[in-house]
Amino acid sequence: MVPFGLTPEQFARHYRRSLENCSLFLIQRLTELFTQPITENVDRAEVQIFLEQDGIAAPSFWIYYQGKNNRVDSSDLSIFPGRSLEIADYLPGLKPFDEQYSTDDEFGGLDIMGNLLKTWFAECWWKASGWCYSIPVMLYIHDGYGDNQTIALSKHTGQGN
């Protein structure tokens, strides 16, 4: 456990280094995702990173597919409009940090983590060849942590039709 007491800059360095230890795991998960066929009605997707769902040591990553005739169907395992998939619900090797980094509003740990996770996830996505994904994909941090900016993950720049 990384104890509370680091400066924001030290925290960012330690957290980034810890994320880098998880890169191969995430790249493998993304590579598996990219091999799944997408039905023709899917015209865009968004990836959301959740910070507080499972605690500070376990951000989770979800992709939401959208398009014409969105639907919910837990029995259909294909990628269709309305389908959501969990990319990863944990990162093996991510160091645990004292909970105070995420609960101390003055420190701003959730914002620091949000920006670092977003940048790191985008780098892993691109290393897994996601830039060429067949639909536009945007990356968000759930609940607006960080700088509240999105990142385009694929070369397709539109938000769909």
Side-chain angles (χ1 to χ4, degrees):
M1 163 99 47
V2 177
F4 190 71
L6 300 175
T7 67
E9 294 78 19
Q10 291 170 324
F11 173 73
R13 274 195 311 275
H14 281 282
Y15 196 73
R16 175 64 193 211
R17 199 168 328 139
S18 188
L19 287 172
E20 288 171 358
N21 290 333
C22 305
S23 293
L24 289 177
F25 169 80
L26 182 60
I27 291 167
Q28 176 63 37
R29 296 297 297 256
L30 293 169
T31 301
E32 292 167 7
L33 173 71
F34 299 153
T35 64
Q36 297 180 31
I38 300 173
T39 62
E40 63 185 42
N41 289 336
V42 175
D43 58 20
R44 66 191 178 284
E46 65 180 45
V47 171
Q48 290 199 26
I49 300 174
F50 294 84
L51 297 179
E52 294 186 297
Q53 304 306 97
D54 298 317
I56 188 167
S60 60
F61 308 87
W62 286 78
I63 187 164
Y64 299 89
Y65 293 93
Q66 302 164 4
K68 296 176 184 165
N69 302 318
N70 283 346
R71 62 187 171 93
V72 176
D73 185 348
S74 60
S75 66
D76 185 349
L77 299 180
S78 68
I79 295 179
F80 55 84
R83 176 79 192 264
S84 61
L85 291 173
E86 187 171 48
I87 297 169
D89 65 348
Y90 72 99
L91 294 172
L94 185 64
K95 282 185 183 177
F97 286 79
D98 187 295
E99 189 176 295
Q100 197 169 349
Y101 285 111
S102 66
T103 59
D104 185 330
D105 291 336
E106 188 174 315
F107 184 81
L110 289 173
D111 288 329
I112 295 169
M113 288 174 14
N115 287 334
L116 289 170
L117 279 162
K118 183 174 55 174
T119 302
W120 170 78
F121 183 94
E123 291 168 2
C124 289
W125 178 278
W126 297 325
K127 287 176 182 176
S129 299
W131 185 246
C132 297
Y133 204 49
S134 61
I135 57 173
V137 182
M138 299 299 290
L139 173 63
Y140 301 86
I141 300 295
H142 189 74
D143 290 334
Y145 292 114
D147 60 13
N148 219 11
Q149 299 294 310
T150 60
I151 295 178
L153 294 176
S154 69
K155 66 182 173 183
H156 306 283
T157 57
Q159 284 291 324
N161 298 346

